[in-house]
């Protein structure tokens, strides 16, 4: 599955309170949470996102609280994939459980600049930077995690498995 969009750089050690500040945790509605995505980092950040764009981050993205609202807010804002140097482990698992694809690229994250047009293949982990023509190889998403993403998250994945 190939996705196209623009890169939005957010820096290193972005915690879940920056992704979705605590005052907005009164709902689980993705659209409502998406309106406040990254508001702890930059008020109004979500207004520059076009549906399908990518968050590009440095090390330890999603650190802090283990709130599941963070990946839901990112999805609600219209972001299709998060690409980062590395992730906080609980955020990593919560994201797949909520149906948000993540790609980990290590030091190659420095090859992406804010606003770069990207084409991302979630299955192979290949990221084409259309500005430079370079391809970046991310860690491929394991097949069982792809199954969770294809189902739209862990709850739907389990429902499908129980009815199969």
């Amino acid at each position: 599955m190939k996705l196209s969009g623009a890169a939005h750089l957010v820096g290193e050690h972005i915690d879940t309170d920056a992704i979705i500040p605590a005052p907005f945790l009164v709902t689980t509605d993705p659209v409502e949470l998406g309106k406040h995505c990254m508001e702890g980092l930059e008020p109004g950040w979500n207004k520059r996102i076009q549906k399908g764009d990518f968050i590009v981050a440095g090390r330890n993205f999603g650190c802090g609280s283990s709130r599941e609202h963070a990946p839901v807010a990112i999805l609600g804002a219209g972001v299709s994939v998060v690409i980062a140097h590395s992730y906080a482990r609980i955020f990593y698992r919560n994201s797949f459980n909520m149906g948000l694809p993540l790609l980990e690229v290590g030091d190659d994250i420095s090859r992406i600049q804010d606003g770069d047009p990207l084409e991302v293949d979630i299955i192979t982990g290949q990221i084409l930077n259309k500005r430079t023509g370079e391809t970046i190889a991310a860690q491929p998403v394991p097949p069982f995690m792809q199954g969770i993403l294809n189902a739209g998250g862990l709850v739907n994945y389990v429902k499908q498995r129980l009815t199969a």
Side-chain angles (χ1 to χ4, degrees):
M1 172 185 352
K2 290 186 179 178
L3 304 168
S4 294
H8 297 274
L9 271 60
V10 295
E12 300 207 9
H13 307 289
I14 302 298
D15 64 32
T16 53
D17 202 45
I19 296 169
I20 185 70
F24 304 111
L25 301 180
V26 294
T27 181
T28 57
D29 178 38
V31 174
E32 194 59 37
L33 289 168
K35 292 176 184 174
H36 304 286
C37 185
M38 295 294 180
E39 204 161 297
L41 181 67
E42 176 189 323
W45 180 89
N46 68 323
K47 291 183 174 46
R48 60 180 156 135
I49 297 296
Q50 299 294 313
K51 187 171 175 54
D53 282 353
F54 309 102
I55 288 176
V56 177
R59 298 174 194 275
N60 201 27
F61 185 80
C63 57
S65 169
S66 61
R67 61 183 71 153
E68 293 89 357
H69 295 74
V72 174
I74 292 169
L75 285 167
V79 172
S80 61
V81 178
V82 179
I83 304 163
H85 179 284
S86 59
Y87 297 93
R89 293 295 109 188
I90 294 174
F91 176 83
Y92 185 86
R93 188 57 206 213
N94 281 344
S95 294
F96 281 92
N97 289 349
M98 297 299 161
L100 174 64
L102 306 179
L103 292 175
E104 198 166 47
V105 298
D107 291 337
D108 283 340
I109 200 70
S110 64
R111 296 167 55 196
I112 302 172
Q113 295 180 8
D114 196 44
D116 279 354
L118 305 177
E119 183 176 282
V120 175
D121 187 325
I122 296 172
I123 305 298
T124 64
Q126 298 294 306
I127 302 165
L128 172 63
N129 186 329
K130 293 180 177 178
R131 180 184 60 83
T132 64
E134 295 178 315
T135 299
I136 299 168
Q139 294 289 326
V141 175
F144 76 96
M145 300 289 270
Q146 290 177 22
I148 293 171
L149 291 174
N150 290 338
L154 184 59
V155 171
N156 290 336
Y157 178 79
V158 170
K159 285 179 182 176
Q160 288 176 358
R161 301 264 314 189
L162 291 175
T163 58

